[in-house]
Amino acid sequence: MKRKLAVAFALAASFAMLFAACAKKAEAPAATAKAFKVAFIYIGPPGDLGWTFEHDRGRKAAVEYFGDKIETAYMENVPEGPDAARVIRQYAQEGYDMIFATSFGYMDPMLEVAKEFPNVKFEHCSGYKTNPNMATYFGRIEEARYLSGIIAGKMTKTNKIGYAAAFPIPEVVRGINAFILGARSVNPKAEVRVVWTNTWYDPVKEREAAVALLDAGCDIIAQHQDTVEPQKAAQERGKLSIGYDSDMGKFVGDTVLASPMWNWGVYYKDTIEKAMKGEWKSHQYWEGLASGVVALSDMSPRVPEDVRKLVLETKDKIASGQMKIFAGPIKDQSGALVVKEGESLPDDKQLSMDWFVQGVVGKVK
Amino acid sequence: MELVTSILAIAIRAGTSLVYATLGEIYTERAGILNLGLEGIMLMGALSGFATAYYSGSVALALLAALAVGAALAAIHAFLTVTMRANQVVSGLSITLFGSGFASFLGQRLGPISNNHRLVGLSGPRIAPIGVPGLSELPVIGALFTQDILTYALYALIPLAWFYLYRTRHGLNLRAVGEDPQTADAMGVDVFKVKYLATIAGGALVALGGAQLSLSYTPGWSENITGGRGWIVIALVIFAMWNPARAVWGALLFGGINAVQFRLQASGTTIPAGFLNMLPYLATIAVLVAMTFWESLSKRIGAPAGLGNAYMREEK
């Protein structure tokens, strides 16, 4: 009996250790006494070529911009939940002036620590809770997703587009809805099939999801995950894909038609500068194509000229505010009219979106 | 019928790496050594396999490299736990922590300059599935014959592993060492040698499971490519009740469950994904509970009695 307990304990301990196994890295070039210290909390490794890769590119852009006036550090593979609070608190105690947490699940832990350290500035990506010293920031990636939907809608032959999606939360649902709206704006027969992987980062599962979609007859694979695995799976079958996070065509090839991507550097430079000058105030930053924080990557040479032109025109319309992507009429999966003609979905409804637009095959819950 | 065939084919492909790792761990545990370093060894196997294939262009060399790296890591574990009699749990966990960290580190250093020294995002030689002419056309069982060479090797390895363990004197000695090392020692079995060999051979197989991921199933290197499969294997060993022949079913179940639930989602029908994901673990718990309730059952098919204990000669 004792031995069985020991084995059970070993299993429990090993899981705990696994999740505690995050690596800490400080990059301190010639730390002057006055350097402004900024820390980043990452959910995955910067080498994922996706979500964390882009945040780290943003961090590097800030370092390049400020030179030795700032000192940055980051911790990778930090699990969401109580462990995140420990990591954030540690940075606050070590005298970091500003801490960025780059995943949704860091929201509550960060708020908890923010209340303990009123002099440190906290910024949380993709959440909605704030404090006088805690701001939120995010980008309207769905604007770029709408554009990628146009490309997919024009280029699908089976009218079935696959979508490997991480978790059924508003951020992901919003992206899928924007994507089908873009696709249906040029191809009313297009449908988007959604497979939930219930993980942000798992190369094997992401590939399996993409393969399942390809087997179901999809000829283009879009995704809301953190690696390039769905893109590679599509390419191996001779099928096309839409990337996400970073310019995935660079890593996979021209079968990736385009990728909605992040340019966090734009925002990091701006907000760190404000904090250094003492002009920083708590805020809720949520900008789109116009700000440059989100973008559509260069399109693959496989995208025909007329589609390319249409995408660029639409992009200008969205960036100039002339066009809103969640503008009515929009019907949900049951065919009920959710957004009326002439109206558009307000921000708070977008932030809590938990229903699919008509044309999506799959369930939110 | 076509759906069943394609699901079975995917389940076998997904399960292959799990079967290798499970076989490896069964041999290790049969000798009384609990190796919790699986996750680290699999990651190192995946990394060394891919890096070797990328630079040498040879898949055979890549597999050899993975085997060697797995054997080396397992040898550290054997030295610590058999010779130094260190706590097996602690040693295994440190192998996992070391292996996963070191694999990430090497993944950022071993790549070519053109890729910023990173291995992520590169494509190298891979092991492609080969259909057996004739057999691969058959309904359902055709799924068995549209696999890669590592899977075909398993078809031979599983019965061999079973035969060795239950029908040869060496296998009997191995099991005796795991059950009661003192008695085995008194019978003239070289306990230390058996423990070393089983751990090292087991580690090599585990690493091969990792290499199957980076060379065949998800070709290429990405950090944490195993996604916790090393831990699943520990559950699988219990599920298989330490018998190589039963390792297949657990691995198929664990490997196939995602294939099934993703396909159900893709076809538009929805059974909650969480429910399906839970099933294999539920089965593992059921096995554990059954073995706790019926002691006689546990004696016959349960964990080796000496599992996790350090053996010291002449000690009572």
Side-chain angles (χ1 to χ4, degrees):
Chain A
M1 198 59 230
K2 219 169 151 191
R3 182 158 49 247
K4 271 173 207 136
L5 275 177
V7 173
F9 171 75
L11 270 173
S14 43
F15 277 107
M17 298 281 276
L18 175 74
F19 291 127
C22 29
K24 186 185 171 189
K25 282 171 195 169
E27 289 195 358
T32 52
K34 278 182 192 166
F36 190 78
K37 290 170 81 177
V38 187
F40 292 79
I41 318 290
Y42 295 151
I43 183 81
D48 64 0
L49 304 184
W51 176 257
T52 300
F53 177 79
E54 280 304 316
H55 279 285
D56 201 51
R57 205 165 63 87
R59 179 187 66 83
K60 286 179 183 155
V63 169
E64 198 172 307
Y65 180 72
F66 293 108
D68 58 4
K69 281 189 228 146
I70 66 166
E71 184 188 320
T72 66
Y74 65 86
M75 181 98 71
E76 60 186 53
N77 291 326
V78 178
E80 298 178 332
D83 255 359
R86 186 177 55 78
V87 174
I88 297 167
R89 188 175 289 113
Q90 193 183 330
Y91 277 125
Q93 278 165 348
E94 282 173 13
Y96 278 82
D97 302 289
M98 196 166 193
I99 301 170
F100 292 91
T102 62
S103 189
F104 181 78
Y106 299 147
M107 179 167 67
D108 289 320
M110 180 160 240
L111 186 62
E112 179 192 323
V113 182
K115 286 176 178 161
E116 296 168 18
F117 294 88
N119 295 325
V120 179
K121 290 167 186 67
F122 295 86
E123 295 229 13
H124 176 243
C125 183
S126 78
Y128 53 86
K129 292 186 183 170
T130 57
N131 204 49
N133 64 333
M134 175 169 157
T136 64
Y137 65 103
F138 205 37
R140 294 176 194 262
I141 193 78
E142 42 279 5
E143 294 184 353
R145 284 205 187 272
Y146 184 92
L147 299 177
S148 67
I150 295 178
I151 302 174
K154 279 276 191 191
M155 295 190 67
T156 175
K157 293 198 178 75
T158 60
N159 290 328
K160 284 184 194 168
I161 305 163
Y163 203 110
F167 288 98
I169 59 171
E171 171 195 343
V172 181
V173 172
R174 212 159 54 228
I176 294 168
N177 283 340
F179 185 75
I180 183 74
L181 287 171
R184 285 227 161 166
S185 73
V186 294
N187 178 357
K189 283 188 199 147
E191 64 173 42
V192 170
R193 298 202 168 205
V194 176
V195 166
W196 301 110
T197 61
N198 289 305
T199 174
W200 289 116
Y201 183 95
D202 185 331
V204 173
K205 272 194 190 166
E206 291 173 31
R207 163 176 292 258
E208 283 173 345
V211 169
L213 287 162
L214 291 164
D215 283 350
C218 299
D219 64 347
I220 298 184
I221 300 293
Q223 61 127 307
H224 196 141
Q225 298 282 174
D226 288 359
T227 83
V228 296
E229 223 38 69
Q231 273 56 44
K232 282 162 61 180
Q235 188 179 47
E236 277 161 28
R237 295 275 196 103
K239 296 287 165 34
L240 304 170
S241 68
I242 302 284
Y244 171 54
D245 277 329
S246 61
D247 187 354
M248 288 186 168
K250 279 190 189 153
F251 310 118
V252 179
D254 68 357
T255 54
V256 183
L257 299 172
S259 311
M261 59 180 284
W262 300 99
N263 278 318
W264 293 113
V266 173
Y267 174 72
Y268 287 147
K269 283 190 267 189
D270 182 56
T271 189
I272 293 173
E273 185 140 57
K274 279 189 184 135
M276 288 166 79
K277 286 183 183 159
E279 291 165 4
W280 188 92
K281 275 201 225 59
S282 181
H283 56 259
Q284 286 186 293
Y285 178 94
W286 197 29
E287 294 300 322
L289 288 169
S291 68
V293 81
V294 299
L296 187 71
S297 70
D298 291 339
M299 284 173 263
S300 149
R302 292 189 188 219
V303 179
E305 200 48 47
D306 58 321
V307 179
R308 196 178 284 270
K309 214 175 135 210
L310 177 65
V311 167
L312 292 176
E313 278 168 16
T314 315
K315 181 185 158 193
D316 289 340
K317 277 188 204 160
I318 296 175
S320 65
Q322 195 185 336
M323 181 184 154
K324 288 208 159 66
I325 52 170
F326 291 114
I330 298 177
K331 287 181 181 166
D332 70 8
Q333 278 175 309
S334 70
L337 194 67
V338 183
V339 186
K340 288 191 204 109
E341 176 107 45
E343 291 179 7
S344 84
L345 203 63
D347 277 3
D348 61 326
K349 291 270 171 60
Q350 289 186 34
L351 283 168
S352 61
M353 203 176 243
D354 62 353
W355 51 275
F356 276 141
V357 167
Q358 199 169 40
V360 178
V361 180
K363 278 188 185 159
V364 175
K365 273 151 203 140
Chain B
M1 203 50 96
E2 213 171 285
L3 184 72
V4 176
T5 314
S6 86
I7 286 179
L8 188 62
I10 288 275
I12 294 171
R13 287 198 72 189
T16 297
S17 69
L18 292 174
V19 178
Y20 273 106
T22 309
L23 283 181
E25 183 69 5
I26 286 177
Y27 265 78
T28 310
E29 292 196 13
R30 274 292 178 187
I33 301 285
L34 177 70
N35 186 356
L36 292 180
L38 296 177
E39 181 78 359
I41 296 177
M42 280 182 91
L43 277 166
M44 282 301 291
L47 178 106
S48 50
F50 176 72
T52 311
Y54 180 77
Y55 285 110
S56 71
S58 156
V59 170
L61 268 182
L63 294 177
L64 282 177
L67 284 169
V69 166
L73 280 172
I76 299 175
H77 185 62
F79 174 73
L80 287 173
T81 56
V82 179
T83 307
M84 308 300 286
R85 289 188 286 273
N87 183 312
Q88 297 181 6
V89 172
V90 176
S91 166
L93 288 177
S94 27
I95 300 265
T96 280
L97 293 177
F98 167 73
S100 26
F102 196 49
S104 296
F105 174 79
L106 290 179
Q108 294 165 10
R109 293 293 184 285
L110 286 186
I113 301 166
S114 57
N115 198 36
N116 270 332
H117 298 284
R118 280 180 298 135
L119 281 175
V120 182
L122 297 174
S123 53
R126 54 174 299 195
I127 305 172
I130 312 162
V132 178
L135 290 174
S136 59
E137 314 294 324
L138 297 171
V140 187
I141 49 167
L144 289 166
F145 300 104
T146 52
Q147 304 293 337
D148 67 36
I149 208 165
L150 285 170
T151 311
Y152 294 134
L154 269 186
Y155 298 161
L157 189 61
I158 294 165
L160 272 179
W162 176 85
F163 185 82
Y164 180 85
L165 205 54
Y166 290 100
R167 291 290 181 273
T168 68
R169 177 154 295 276
H170 288 293
L172 183 66
N173 287 347
L174 174 64
R175 285 184 293 138
V177 165
E179 296 290 342
D180 189 346
Q182 247 139 7
T183 310
D185 203 357
M187 298 292 289
V189 179
D190 188 340
V191 173
F192 291 98
K193 189 174 135 196
V194 168
K195 283 193 177 227
Y196 259 94
L197 284 179
T199 309
I200 290 173
L205 281 178
V206 171
L208 204 56
Q212 196 265 348
L213 290 177
S214 67
L215 292 173
S216 171
Y217 194 52
T218 47
W221 168 250
S222 31
E223 278 190 36
N224 206 4
I225 186 171
T226 54
R229 272 157 193 79
W231 303 112
I232 290 177
V233 167
I234 293 168
L236 275 176
V237 171
I238 298 168
F239 186 85
M241 294 168 279
W242 293 269
N243 183 333
R246 279 191 286 254
V248 187
W249 305 114
L252 275 182
L253 185 62
F254 276 76
I257 212 87
N258 271 321
V260 173
Q261 62 112 340
F262 286 153
R263 262 165 190 71
L264 285 176
Q265 287 192 52
S267 65
T269 51
T270 320
I271 296 177
F275 178 76
L276 285 165
N277 283 335
M278 170 195 86
L279 283 180
Y281 298 94
L282 201 66
T284 307
I285 292 172
V287 171
L288 276 176
V289 168
M291 285 193 302
T292 319
F293 265 109
W294 296 289
E295 280 286 326
S296 59
L297 186 71
S298 165
K299 282 212 179 91
R300 206 151 52 82
I301 56 172
L307 182 62
N309 300 338
Y311 173 59
M312 202 180 293
R313 254 191 157 162
E314 320 261 316
E315 190 198 55
K316 288 278 176 242

